[in-house]
Amino acid sequence: MEILKIVGVGVVGAIIFCYLKGMNSELSTLTAIATGIVVLMLSITYVINTIRFFTEMSLKTGIDSSLFIIIVKIIVISYLVDFSVNLCEDIGVKSIGDKITLGGKVMIFSISIPIFNTLIESITSIIV
């Protein structure tokens, strides 16, 4: 099971982080970053499978595939922002993490405008 690899890497990384942090080593921060990257790389297969699922759903339903692509982009942005903010907090620069959060929210809102447009067009066509 892939989750066991992810959990194993996370737990081992956390133990190494705690050990190095106790020694006041700068390597503890690098350990946290490396652990996060390895966990992210182990999870990438599932991201690809999710994108395939949305692509198949757009073909089956006849809904414009660009809307599904926007939804996937929003999900990916959300996860990347969350990962980056947590990384910033681990390093000790919460203020930068807050700016990343703001940037992510603005980007998600901007990317979702076509979804709002399609929704408004659908409602207007039903009413008229």
Side-chain angles (χ1 to χ4, degrees), residues 50 54 68-81 108:
T50 302
F54 279 113
F68 283 108
I69 291 170
I70 292 170
I71 292 170
V72 170
K73 284 182 183 179
I74 289 171
I75 292 168
V76 169
I77 290 169
S78 300
Y79 281 118
L80 288 175
V81 166
I108 287 172

Side-chain angles (χ1 to χ4, degrees), residues 10-62:
V11 169
V12 169
I15 291 169
I16 293 171
F17 174 81
C18 289
Y19 177 74
L20 291 175
K21 189 173 182 181
M23 297 172 39
N24 287 330
S25 173
E26 291 82 23
L27 293 175
S28 63
T29 301
L30 293 176
T31 301
I33 293 169
T35 301
I37 290 171
V38 171
V39 167
L40 192 62
M41 295 306 293
L42 289 171
S43 304
I44 203 77
T45 304
Y46 295 99
V47 173
I48 293 169
N49 289 339
T50 302
I51 292 170
R52 276 195 203 121
F53 169 77
F54 279 113
T55 303
E56 290 173 10
M57 290 304 296
S58 70
L59 293 174
K60 289 179 182 177
T61 60

